[in-house]
């Protein structure tokens, strides 16, 4: 069951455009061993409230192909699976899933989500395409209104503002929410360092003095760590 979603991706995706993919590969996808390592990474510069962020996250696929102009938006698509909705309990459960689907794709700039609804035995029953921007409205109009997109974004904005006033010094900090708890904890676990998150190559680049800019250089800005 843990690999049903990966199998759905294997059956749905190609390594290149349809015309550039060998016929043998297309016709034998159902026999291909699943691979949970192949993925794209979307890196987005955004702002939530007063906080400016750079976010990176895994994305499943490109709907057609990447644009030649790197400044143009990429037509990302995310693939998800969910049990077929049979009753009220299933509907509520699916709505909660939609929150996770929406926030992941919304933050990473993924415009489209394809959901494969499956039977209890993992057999694909049908497909449904969701526009990411329409999910909060769908939940409020057609569902049980178990969550609100505006409340989610406002909470994150307030949390980030609070976090900036709480973490005033260096070191490694941890944010934790215990199971079934309504509280978030923030505490320091190391007085210095970067928690092995930043590579040595990045740290060397970040601490290297910036080169003087000229008329053909956009320049750069380095912020002390």
């Amino acid at each position: 069951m843990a690999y049903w979603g990966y199998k759905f991706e294997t059956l749905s995706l190609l390594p290149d455009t349809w015309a550039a993919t060998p016929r043998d590969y297309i016709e034998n996808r159902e026999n291909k061993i699943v691979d949970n390592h192949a993925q794209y990474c979307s890196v987005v510069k955004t702002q939530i409230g007063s906080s400016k962020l750079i976010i990176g996250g895994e994305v499943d696929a490109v709907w057609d192909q990447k644009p030649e102009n790197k400044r143009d938006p990429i037509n990302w698509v995310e693939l998800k699976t969910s049990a077929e909705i049979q009753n009220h309990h299933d509907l509520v459960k699916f709505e909660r899933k939609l929150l996770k689907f929406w926030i992941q794709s919304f933050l990473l700039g993924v415009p489209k989500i394809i959901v494969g609804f499956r039977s209890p035995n993992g057999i694909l029953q049908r497909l449904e395409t969701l526009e990411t921007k329409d999910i909060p409205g769908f939940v409020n109009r057609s569902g049980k209104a178990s969550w609100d997109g505006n409340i989610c974004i406002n909470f994150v904005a307030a949390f980030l503002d609070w976090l900036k006033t709480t973490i005033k010094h260096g070191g490694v900090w941890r944010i934790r929410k215990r199971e079934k708890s309504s509280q978030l904890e923030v505490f320091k676990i190391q007085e210095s360092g970067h928690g092995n998150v930043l590579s040595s190559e990045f740290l060397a680049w970040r601490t290297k003095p910036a080169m003087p800019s000229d008329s053909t250089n956009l320049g750069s800005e380095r912020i002390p760590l």
Side-chain angles (χ1 to χ4, degrees), residues 5 10 60 77 83-84 90 97 115 127 143 157 160 162 188 197:
T10 300
D60 289 329
V77 61
E84 188 66 274
D90 291 342
K97 269 193 170 184
V115 182
L127 299 175
L160 291 173
W162 173 80
K188 182 182 286 190
V197 174

Side-chain angles (χ1 to χ4, degrees), residues 107-146:
L107 290 176
L108 294 177
V110 179
K112 186 179 301 183
I113 304 169
I114 297 177
V115 182
F117 288 91
R118 58 167 179 80
S119 70
N121 295 323
I123 306 301
L124 184 66
Q125 303 296 301
R126 62 186 177 94
L127 299 175
E128 186 170 339
T129 300
L130 305 175
E131 298 293 331
T132 302
K133 62 180 176 59
D134 296 334
I135 292 177
F138 167 79
V139 170
N140 286 328
R141 291 191 308 272
S142 306
K144 300 298 180 181
S146 57

